[in-house]
Amino acid sequence: MESLVSAVISDLISRSISFAIDKCRRRQRDAPTIEDNLQRMRRVLLRIRITVEEAERRLVTNRAMLRQLQLMREGLYRGYYVLSACNAAQDDPEVSRHDHRSSFALSQFNPAKRVCTLSSMASAKMSLLASGIGRELEAELQEVLAGLERMASDMKELVVFLSSYPPLSREPYSGHLWLQNRMFGREAEQERIISFLLEPEPPGARNLGVLPVIGRARVGKSTLVEHVCFDERVRKHFSLIVFVDVGDIDDGHLGSNKGIIKHRDLDSAGKSLVVIELDGHVDESTLRRMLSTLRGARTAHVSKILVTSRSEKIASFGTAQALQLKPLPREAFWYFFKTIAFGSTDAEDHPELASVCMELAGQLNRSFIAANLIGSLLRANPCSQFWRKVLTRLKDFTRMHLVLSGEHPFDLVAKDRPAYLWRLASKTSTTLIVYNCYQACSAREHDLPKITINEVQIGSASPRGKFEVLAWRSHIPPCYSYVLSCEVRASSSSFHIPARNKQIRQQ
């Protein structure tokens, strides 16, 4: 009897183990692979991208819809970022030849800590899944994919509502031309400023509504404010929109000879919007006097004021919380730079270039000017050897500046401090130095330099001594052209910070 019970128990245990093993095998067999998730990611990103681009062609005014569209944009940028990181981990042949964990390891932009070293292209997918870092990247892929699929399922009503809004006029640009001809990534900030401007004034209010807009040099403050002032809702609300500086409002007048008038409705004598752009340091007493003068302006009823500055001190003068304009998130910047660099070409069709492009983006310190400069240079030379050469030179010069000054070279240029510029020639008897960058009106093209910085860097132009070059010409308001003051010096045996830079550092 005992032997029979023992045999039955053994059989039950054996069957239970076999059932558990079969269940695990079926679960593993039915579970989606990373390639399945990548395909699902591509499909859902395409659906969301179509909806977002259609929405951008229409004049949407509903704030809730605008908020939903902003969330969709953020999801779109993050999705393409993770998709590119996964593709690079699987397809970049250079990854297996690096000693560090991935070809992105030196980039603060890319998810280097989440991409594993691959022993060979044939075992790329197995290594990605077997590695702990690979599992983390796969987990992020699943997390982002789940969020995007929920977002896509919730956008059916949005698609229906979009059809009720009138379309905006738009030329059939390709991807990079569309981005170069519109303000990118500042939709939420734009709506916040417009909401402040259209907000009704409290009855009997004596203080002007003041909104400070604060951000580092060339982060996009002027472009943002300019687009706000071009918005039809703002132009219908204000009969006069004028840009002024410190010397334009001393006597309390806002006439035709004061400031730059961006909009005027001669048939209306309503409210006025004043934009104060502070390029340098303005002491608190001067700014306080300017605001006091505007309150008593005799020729226009000023109701709202926007103040742009690099200094956070002006935040205390606002009647609303200051808008801190920060660089684009890494996902949005990657989407922008990738589109500029590849143009109308799909980055997924060129995985090796996409991998190099992703690492290059990490070297640009999220600078719009640098993204347009380097992106246009890459787009004109779609060759992996050329792209890798640009990456190598850019990394070398960035590393050199971090050692010498502790700052990124693009930060030095933005602060009008001397910096070295990279050139493709690895061995040259001269050194290229930029001393400052200034803005010029693009409308006066005859006054702009004929040589571009890209021509100097790739060697098609070889100026000597001190000279000026055109860095980049913006195609969107305020349509600035950015000019660099440069000098070519004889190279010494070792690099050193120019004298002007040393003096600034010692102060």
Side-chain angles (χ1 to χ4, degrees):
M1 186 65 181
E2 292 180 359
S3 60
L4 178 62
V5 172
S6 176
V8 171
I9 293 176
S10 298
D11 183 64
L12 289 174
I13 292 175
S14 177
R15 288 172 181 270
S16 299
I17 294 175
S18 298
F19 176 77
I21 292 174
D22 290 341
K23 187 175 181 180
C24 290
R25 286 176 176 174
R26 286 196 301 269
R27 183 179 299 172
Q28 291 177 352
R29 185 174 59 251
D30 297 337
T33 64
I34 187 171
E35 192 60 41
D36 294 334
N37 287 336
L38 289 175
Q39 290 295 338
R40 287 166 56 194
M41 175 78 87
R42 295 184 183 98
R43 290 194 294 269
V44 71
L45 285 174
L46 182 59
R47 290 182 59 195
I48 295 176
R49 180 180 172 184
I50 291 172
T51 304
V52 170
E53 290 184 355
E54 178 62 25
E56 290 174 343
R57 293 180 62 250
R58 296 182 178 273
L59 184 60
V60 180
T61 56
N62 184 282
R63 292 186 181 180
M65 290 181 65
L66 291 171
R67 176 56 181 163
Q68 185 175 357
L69 285 171
Q70 181 62 25
L71 293 175
M72 291 170 65
R73 288 189 192 95
E74 294 172 358
L76 187 71
Y77 301 148
R78 187 184 180 195
Y80 274 112
Y81 180 80
V82 173
L83 182 64
S84 297
C86 291
N87 289 337
Q90 289 184 324
D91 299 324
D92 185 7
E94 287 298 311
V95 172
S96 61
R97 293 199 286 267
H98 282 278
D99 294 333
H100 46 265
R101 308 187 84 173
S102 82
S103 60
F104 309 147
L106 296 180
S107 169
Q108 59 182 339
F109 174 87
N110 295 295
K113 299 177 182 179
R114 301 194 296 268
V115 183
C116 57
T117 300
L118 307 180
S119 60
S120 67
M121 284 302 296
S123 62
K125 296 181 182 180
M126 294 301 296
S127 300
L128 184 66
L129 294 175
S131 162
I133 298 177
R135 285 193 295 270
E136 185 178 346
L137 181 59
E138 185 184 11
E140 184 173 2
L141 171 64
Q142 293 174 346
E143 175 190 347
V144 174
L145 177 60
L148 291 175
E149 288 180 334
R150 287 194 299 269
M151 184 179 293
S153 64
D154 294 339
M155 70 183 186
K156 297 178 181 178
E157 296 83 358
L158 176 67
V159 174
V160 175
F161 292 147
L162 281 177
S163 61
S164 64
Y165 288 94
L168 298 169
S169 59
R170 172 186 166 184
E171 297 295 328
Y173 296 134
S174 61
H176 70 286
L177 292 177
W178 169 233
L179 284 189
Q180 287 180 327
N181 286 274
R182 63 184 287 265
M183 183 179 65
F184 177 82
R186 299 301 188 191
E187 295 83 4
E189 291 88 345
Q190 181 177 3
E191 288 304 317
R192 181 186 165 187
I193 296 178
I194 292 176
S195 176
F196 164 79
L197 295 178
L198 302 185
E199 189 177 65
E201 303 170 49
R206 300 183 60 183
N207 291 329
L208 296 174
V210 180
L211 176 63
V213 181
I214 304 170
R216 73 182 192 186
R218 300 181 183 92
V219 75
K221 301 184 294 295
S222 297
T223 300
L224 174 61
V225 172
E226 193 89 20
H227 278 72
V228 166
C229 294
F230 269 100
D231 191 278
E232 285 299 321
R233 293 168 290 174
V234 175
R235 295 196 163 215
K236 289 179 180 179
H237 189 77
F238 296 99
S239 60
L240 178 66
I241 301 177
V242 58
F243 284 49
V244 301
D245 57 28
V246 177
D248 288 329
I249 54 177
D250 285 340
D251 56 2
H253 287 280
L254 289 176
S256 58
N257 61 336
K258 297 295 180 180
I260 301 175
I261 296 177
K262 297 291 184 177
H263 167 70
R264 170 179 280 175
D265 185 356
L266 298 176
D267 298 328
S268 174
K271 303 172 182 179
S272 298
L273 167 63
V274 175
V275 178
I276 305 175
E277 293 188 303
L278 304 177
D279 292 332
H281 173 73
V282 176
D283 59 83
E284 296 184 10
S285 61
T286 301
L287 184 55
R288 189 177 293 108
R289 176 176 53 81
M290 294 171 64
L291 296 177
S292 176
T293 302
L294 287 173
R295 292 188 184 98
R298 298 186 291 273
T299 58
H301 173 56
V302 180
S303 61
K304 294 293 174 67
I305 299 176
L306 298 178
V307 184
T308 65
S309 175
R310 304 177 190 177
S311 174
E312 296 185 359
K313 294 181 179 180
I314 69 166
S316 59
F317 291 91
T319 60
Q321 183 178 3
L323 174 62
Q324 293 278 353
L325 198 61
K326 299 179 179 180
L328 288 179
R330 64 179 187 178
E331 295 86 356
F333 184 83
W334 159 240
Y335 184 88
F336 177 82
F337 179 66
K338 171 178 69 75
T339 305
I340 298 297
F342 281 92
S344 56
T345 305
D346 192 342
E348 287 201 52
D349 294 337
H350 305 275
E352 184 179 359
L353 291 180
S355 174
V356 179
C357 186
M358 198 170 196
E359 191 169 0
L360 269 166
Q363 301 292 324
L364 303 183
N365 206 26
R366 288 183 275 181
S367 165
F368 269 115
I369 298 179
N372 281 280
L373 271 175
I374 304 299
S376 60
L377 181 63
L378 300 179
R379 190 174 65 251
N381 301 273
C383 167
S384 61
Q385 183 179 3
F386 179 83
W387 286 30
R388 290 191 181 281
K389 193 171 183 180
V390 172
L391 173 61
T392 300
R393 299 302 294 158
L394 189 57
K395 288 172 65 174
D396 289 344
F397 270 70
T398 300
R399 187 183 298 109
M400 180 189 70
H401 283 88
L402 293 175
V403 171
L404 293 177
S405 66
E407 294 191 61
H408 195 282
F410 293 132
D411 286 339
L412 293 174
V413 174
K415 297 175 182 178
D416 288 333
R417 293 170 57 183
Y420 296 107
L421 289 185
W422 60 272
R423 284 190 286 182
L424 287 185
S426 57
K427 294 182 179 180
T428 178
S429 59
T430 59
T431 300
L432 179 61
I433 301 174
V434 57
Y435 287 105
N436 70 295
C437 175
Y438 66 89
Q439 299 169 172
C441 180
S442 293
R444 303 179 60 184
E445 293 191 9
H446 59 280
D447 293 333
L448 298 177
K450 304 303 179 183
I451 303 176
T452 66
I453 187 61
N454 281 346
E455 291 174 338
V456 177
Q457 289 178 309
I458 65 177
S460 60
S462 303
R464 298 291 179 181
K466 295 183 178 180
F467 58 95
E468 290 187 341
V469 293
L470 178 64
W472 176 58
R473 181 185 290 112
S474 174
H475 299 287
I476 60 176
C479 297
Y480 287 138
S481 291
Y482 296 89
V483 179
L484 299 177
S485 299
C486 304
E487 181 183 7
V488 172
R489 287 186 181 180
S491 296
S492 58
S493 57
S494 61
F495 287 110
H496 61 89
I497 298 293
R500 288 167 56 185
N501 204 3
K502 284 185 177 179
Q503 292 173 2
I504 294 175
R505 288 172 57 200
Q506 290 171 357
Q507 292 175 357

